[in-house]
Amino acid sequence: MARKSKHKVATTMLQPQARYDAAGNGRRMRGWMAPSTGPNRAVAGIQNIRNRSRDVTRNDWSGESSIQKWTTNLIGIGIVPRFKRIQNKQRKQELTDLWQQFVAQSDADGILNFYGQQTLAVRAWLESGEVFVRRRPRRPDMELAVPLQIQLIEAEFVPMLDADSWPGLLPGNRIRSGIELSVSGRRLAYWMYKSHPGDGAMGATIDASMLIRVPADQVKHVFEPKRPGQLRGISAMASVLARLRNIGDYDDAVLERQKLSNLFVGFISRSLPEGLDPDVDPLTGRPIEGTISSPLAGLQPGMMQELDPGENINWSNPPEAGTTYSDYMRTQHMGTAAASGIPYEIFSGDIKEVSDRTLRVLINEFRRLAEQRQWQIVIPMLCQPVIEWWAEAAVLAGKISSNEILDVIRVEHAPHGWQHIHPVQDPQGKKLEVDAGFRSRSSVIGERGDDPDHVDDERQWDMQREQALGLHASQLTAQTAKKPDDKKEQK
């Protein structure tokens, strides 16, 4: 009996244990063969993704809408630095003026100002998956406010090159995806084409003479890593490109179907008596010349056409227009919007059957994601490095002293503020928070994208101007109070 009991215990322990269904290979998961590629091998075919993403942006409204809405909400009119650590008011204004001069002269291509470059950089990052920002020191004789300009470089300039030995590569270093890495994995340089490979006649083979080595401290790589250790960025449209392609094909098919449904084609059939020659016209007795399928007359509304004996007309039966087209397209674009991280109502402009309370919840959630991208990608990868480059160039030009450079580069970045969802309730709620001591008045002003110091200065100027013109509120109250007395004196 004892042996039998031990056998039962052993049998029980060998039974299959509970596990995740997603880890099995049963009937439901048999055809799901997901690869176990690393973060950098997974980007194989990255150029096809870039090309298709740009094509969708150029030729599909949904692709353009996704990129446009994200760019607008992340940048707005620009992410502006504030020199909060500079206590001297006059010196702070001098630095602000120096920065504004740089903003107007920052573009190495001479087209945009720096805030326009912010917009273009974000658009290139979202569309292509990444963008490179290169520091361009300039000579003092170029008449710039500071001897520095910024160049935006598309992803194709850095090829997907892997090499352990390369002309000009330091011993022990290696190149992965066009990025030179040290033994410890630190980025040391970027190997770039001298010109855009898509604008010239370049072969598929990469030659050492085509590339130049740019030190990493002269370049900032703007991208959103999805996995630890990922070296290059993937377009934000990658997860929806196949869906958008299928939606476009379906849309084209429905369009052709609609065209066919509006075509009314008539076919004239003739029946000839037996014994007649089909090559001879029975009415004239002459040989038939040309085709007998030519139309009798052009069709006009209300026209009655008399046919010859033995002729009748059969009308075609074209397909009807799809009755579920709008519902299907709406459902598909809702999935596209969700994958893009944008509320469908903002993505498409379709606010049918959406209340203002529901829309407030959707917008607030979208803004949380936008702020995450602002403070984790755009500001640390683009805005702050440019501030540091600008400050260093200003020190070389003698515009900033070496003693104050640390206070200058520790700026407060102010993204463009969000508009109120409700123009009355939102300000009232913020006023209640300030009055209750839950937050500061400066934080409310800063949330709108304005500088609290500048707002206070403007308020002071307005009060002084009103007093000088006799428009101050206290003076108006005093004048109003004197009016009854003036009437009594007149009586």
Side-chain angles (χ1 to χ4, degrees), residues 33 50 76 128 135 192-193 232 241 246 255 263 381:
M33 304 300 294
R50 291 184 196 136
S128 305
R135 177 183 189 176
M192 296 184 176
Y193 285 112
R232 302 295 294 269
L241 286 177
N246 291 333
L255 178 61
L263 295 178
M381 294 184 178

Side-chain angles (χ1 to χ4, degrees), residues 57-77:
T57 305
R58 286 191 297 262
N59 299 307
D60 192 315
W61 72 265
S62 56
E64 172 61 23
S65 176
S66 175
I67 300 298
Q68 182 192 70
K69 297 299 189 298
W70 265 118
T71 302
T72 301
N73 281 275
L74 290 178
I75 299 300
I77 62 174

Side-chain angles (χ1 to χ4, degrees), residues 218-233:
Q218 302 296 311
V219 178
K220 291 301 175 183
H221 186 192
V222 181
F223 75 109
E224 185 175 15
K226 298 293 186 179
R227 298 174 61 180
Q230 182 178 335
L231 294 176
R232 302 295 294 269

